[in-house]
Amino acid sequence: MNKISLTTEINSPKERCFNLCRSVDLHIKSASKTKEKAIAGVTTGLMGPDDFVTWEAVHFGIKQQLTVKIMTFDSPNHFRDSQIKGIFKTFIHDHYFEEKNGITVMRDVLYTEYPYGILGVIAGPFINYYLKIFLKQRNDVIKRIAESEDWRLFLKQ
């Protein structure tokens, strides 16, 4: 199994970061380069326990769909979304939030396994690199919005 870890420090309250991270609308904004849209399940607003969303996006020039479900939910500390339908053999994404000295430390841990036997093994390092860049870009958008007044566009007070 492949593991990607990414840590982002955000000068914003932990609860705000947690909520922005589970916003379908913010995810769509952060993944605009891949033409990502929510086509089933929760298609707008915040995801919660046992919610699912089907994402449609273009990756590697191919339109793909991925359905993930919130499997674990401990607000505002952690949630896990896992693939229930899609191209991956395994796709488990943990989101952790911790406050240290007034700064929120947001940590992503993504576990993946790829299908297609040896082809999946060969493509694995490239896919891991792509996913890490994708997560970094998404986290940069979350950070920018959480640290500005733009968070109000995605969260009700």
Side-chain angles (χ1 to χ4, degrees):
M1 187 162 324
N2 302 291
K3 178 181 176 183
I4 297 170
S5 295
L6 187 63
T7 301
T8 307
E9 292 186 356
I10 305 173
N11 188 14
S12 184
K14 179 168 80 168
E15 291 80 5
R16 182 183 304 161
C17 297
F18 180 87
N19 290 332
L20 287 171
C21 198
R22 60 193 185 96
S23 167
V24 171
D25 305 297
L26 180 54
H27 183 90
I28 291 167
K29 179 176 178 60
S30 71
S32 62
K33 289 181 182 177
T34 59
K35 301 177 185 162
E36 197 138 347
K37 57 186 173 181
I39 61 169
V42 178
T43 58
T44 190
L46 302 181
M47 294 188 67
D50 297 319
D51 283 344
F52 78 92
V53 61
T54 299
W55 298 108
E56 184 175 86
V58 177
H59 295 282
F60 308 111
I62 302 166
K63 188 183 286 187
Q64 301 176 36
Q65 292 182 1
L66 174 73
T67 303
V68 295
K69 180 177 178 181
I70 303 291
M71 301 296 202
T72 305
F73 192 86
D74 175 24
S75 179
N77 304 304
H78 169 252
F79 72 93
R80 169 183 279 181
D81 57 272
S82 298
Q83 173 190 282
I84 56 175
K85 185 177 179 187
I87 194 168
F88 293 94
K89 189 173 178 183
T90 303
F91 183 95
I92 300 168
H93 188 178
D94 283 303
H95 309 259
Y96 297 97
F97 303 84
E98 185 178 356
E99 201 161 308
K100 292 184 180 179
N101 302 320
I103 301 291
T104 297
V105 178
M106 181 173 74
R107 191 166 53 94
D108 290 274
V109 181
L110 177 63
Y111 299 95
T112 55
E113 281 185 282
Y114 309 116
Y116 309 120
I118 191 69
L119 292 176
V121 172
I122 292 168
F126 177 72
I127 297 169
N128 284 349
Y129 177 77
Y130 177 84
L131 288 172
K132 190 166 189 173
I133 297 299
F134 183 84
L135 283 175
K136 171 81 170 88
Q137 290 172 344
R138 173 176 153 63
N139 287 356
D140 288 347
V141 171
I142 292 169
K143 176 180 173 68
R144 181 177 49 77
I145 288 173
E147 292 179 344
S148 73
E149 290 300 310
D150 289 348
W151 67 268
R152 296 176 191 279
L153 301 170
F154 299 94
L155 303 176
K156 295 177 182 173
Q157 292 185 351

